[in-house]
Amino acid sequence: MTKRRPQVRMACLLLALACAITPLAPRPAKAEIPNDVVQAAKNGLDYLARSQREDGSWSGSYGQSPGVVGLCLLAFLAHGEVPGRGPYKDTIDKAIKFLLENANAETGVISRQGAQPMYNHGFATLALAEVYGMSPDPAIERVLRKAVDLIVRTQNKRGGWRYQPMPYDDDITVSGCQMIALRAADNAGISVPRKTIEKGTEYIESCYSQGGFGYQPGSSPGAARTGIGVLVLSLTGKEGSEQAARGAEYIRNNFPRPGSSYFYYTTYYCSQAMYQVGGSAWKEWDEKMTKQLLDIQVRSGGERGSWPETGSAAGRDYATAMALLALEVKWRYLPIYQR
């Protein structure tokens, strides 16, 4: 990713300042989003607002992981909510504060002890990059720059990343997370070396096999990993490649169902990937995915608006955030969601 010229960087700053007043992307035409989807998203956000802890984290065994906090925060931002304003401002502000407080001032890693650092770091960096694009707070910028520097310096020789912030191993899930975080940071005006992106893209391409993408080079393909592969290629200018096209077909032929392994994780990544593919492939995916998610959303009781932990061991709040993010792709508010 190239370094922006001064006038381009100034334009990005003005755009970010404008986002403190209005959402980043134009609101979709009302007819594009059915009323039941609008209500489902609101119910989901209301649930997340209720279940947030006072320290800004969420409930469940993984709710205090910066990665899950980042995903919950993204669910609000993808709906068009912004820091410091609106009905969810306290929820958003507490989540941002939690992420900043869990950033290591020396290393730059955003994680908690005992967690898988780079998973947490990638999703937390993605969330802070989207926040910074809306509200260019110097405190967020300091943490975000260090977070990006950590990703850059821990990339291994093959171009990938894995669980620990060390350049010695790799897999497509952790690597894809870092690549998307870097793209979001670049969108927000944080400089990212072109070489890092090129090497990362080459690594993702090396995971292609048998029409889809595997966990590591030479591994058999899976739907979630293929979603990551197609999404990263789309975000790095290779949306027209044969690998991306075959990957999209693989996703169409391997639609995830509730109860399957990594159901929400798969739905989250494949929804973004198919949105980038666009056309009839996206329309078909979106109709099936939306109906399926609305069918299993909890409609009554104290957990109203949430999604059950089917196919997920990371908790109800994580499941709810991932379901919301899949639905909210069509809102088009986040830069990372735009084609």
Side-chain angles (χ1 to χ4, degrees):
M1 295 180 184
T2 57
K3 189 174 181 180
R4 288 181 168 84
R5 299 187 300 276
Q7 60 267 36
V8 176
R9 291 182 62 82
M10 179 58 71
C12 290
L13 177 59
L14 292 173
L15 178 60
L17 289 170
C19 289
I21 301 173
T22 58
L24 186 63
R27 182 178 291 275
K30 191 173 183 180
E32 289 185 40
I33 304 177
N35 289 335
D36 59 344
V37 180
V38 172
Q39 189 60 53
K42 183 181 184 306
N43 291 343
L45 293 178
D46 287 346
Y47 167 79
L48 287 180
R50 294 195 309 271
S51 64
Q52 188 185 37
R53 293 168 169 161
E54 190 56 38
D55 68 353
S57 66
W58 266 268
S59 61
S61 56
Y62 290 86
Q64 289 188 300
S65 300
V68 172
V69 173
L71 289 165
C72 289
L73 173 56
L74 283 165
F76 288 92
L77 303 180
H79 190 256
E81 311 301 328
V82 295
R85 298 182 68 246
Y88 304 110
K89 64 179 181 179
D90 291 341
T91 302
I92 292 171
D93 292 345
K94 285 191 292 186
I96 295 170
K97 184 172 183 287
F98 180 90
L99 294 180
L100 296 179
E101 289 177 345
N102 280 276
N104 188 300
E106 294 184 6
T107 65
V109 67
I110 309 172
S111 188
R112 303 202 89 181
Q113 190 172 3
Q116 294 175 332
M118 293 307 285
Y119 259 132
N120 280 286
H121 185 80
F123 287 122
T125 301
L126 169 59
L128 287 178
E130 298 295 356
V131 169
Y132 183 67
M134 298 178 179
S135 177
D137 184 329
I140 296 174
E141 181 182 6
R142 285 193 295 273
V143 170
L144 183 56
R145 287 189 182 278
K146 285 190 174 183
V148 168
D149 288 345
L150 175 78
I151 296 174
V152 171
R153 71 173 181 268
T154 58
Q155 186 179 39
N156 72 8
K157 291 182 179 179
R158 294 207 297 186
W161 295 263
R162 212 171 187 191
Y163 305 123
Q164 300 298 324
M166 301 175 186
Y168 70 89
D169 204 355
D170 51 66
D171 73 66
I172 195 171
T173 62
V174 179
S175 298
C177 190
Q178 310 313 311
M179 288 289 288
I180 295 165
L182 290 177
R183 170 61 189 266
D186 186 74
N187 286 342
I190 303 298
S191 179
V192 177
R194 177 182 289 275
K195 184 178 179 181
T196 302
I197 299 302
E198 290 175 347
K199 286 175 58 182
T201 305
E202 289 172 3
Y203 175 76
I204 297 297
E205 290 175 319
S206 74
C207 293
Y208 177 81
S209 174
Q210 303 170 42
F213 291 79
Y215 186 64
Q216 292 176 312
S219 299
S220 299
R225 280 101 66 185
T226 300
I228 293 170
V230 173
L231 177 59
V232 172
L233 293 187
S234 297
L235 295 177
T236 55
K238 295 198 171 185
E239 65 279 0
S241 68
E242 181 179 353
Q243 290 181 336
R246 287 179 177 266
E249 189 62 25
Y250 183 95
I251 293 170
R252 293 179 75 176
N253 294 331
N254 291 273
F255 190 79
R257 299 294 182 185
S260 60
S261 297
Y262 307 108
F263 168 68
Y264 293 105
Y265 187 76
T266 302
T267 302
Y268 166 78
Y269 271 120
C270 289
S271 293
Q272 294 180 73
M274 297 305 277
Y275 177 74
Q276 292 294 331
V277 171
S280 60
W282 160 247
K283 183 178 179 183
E284 175 190 334
W285 168 275
D286 185 48
E287 288 176 354
K288 292 170 66 176
M289 176 270 298
T290 298
K291 183 181 185 305
Q292 184 164 264
L293 288 179
L294 265 59
D295 284 347
I296 64 173
Q297 187 180 28
V298 178
R299 290 180 168 78
S300 62
E303 295 172 341
R304 179 176 183 268
S306 69
W307 271 266
E309 298 178 56
T310 174
S312 169
R316 183 177 294 272
D317 295 353
Y318 162 85
T320 301
M322 292 299 241
L324 284 169
L325 287 165
L327 290 174
E328 291 167 342
V329 170
K330 50 182 156 287
W331 264 259
R332 302 195 302 269
Y333 281 125
L334 295 183
I336 203 67
Y337 274 7
Q338 295 173 15
R339 295 190 181 105

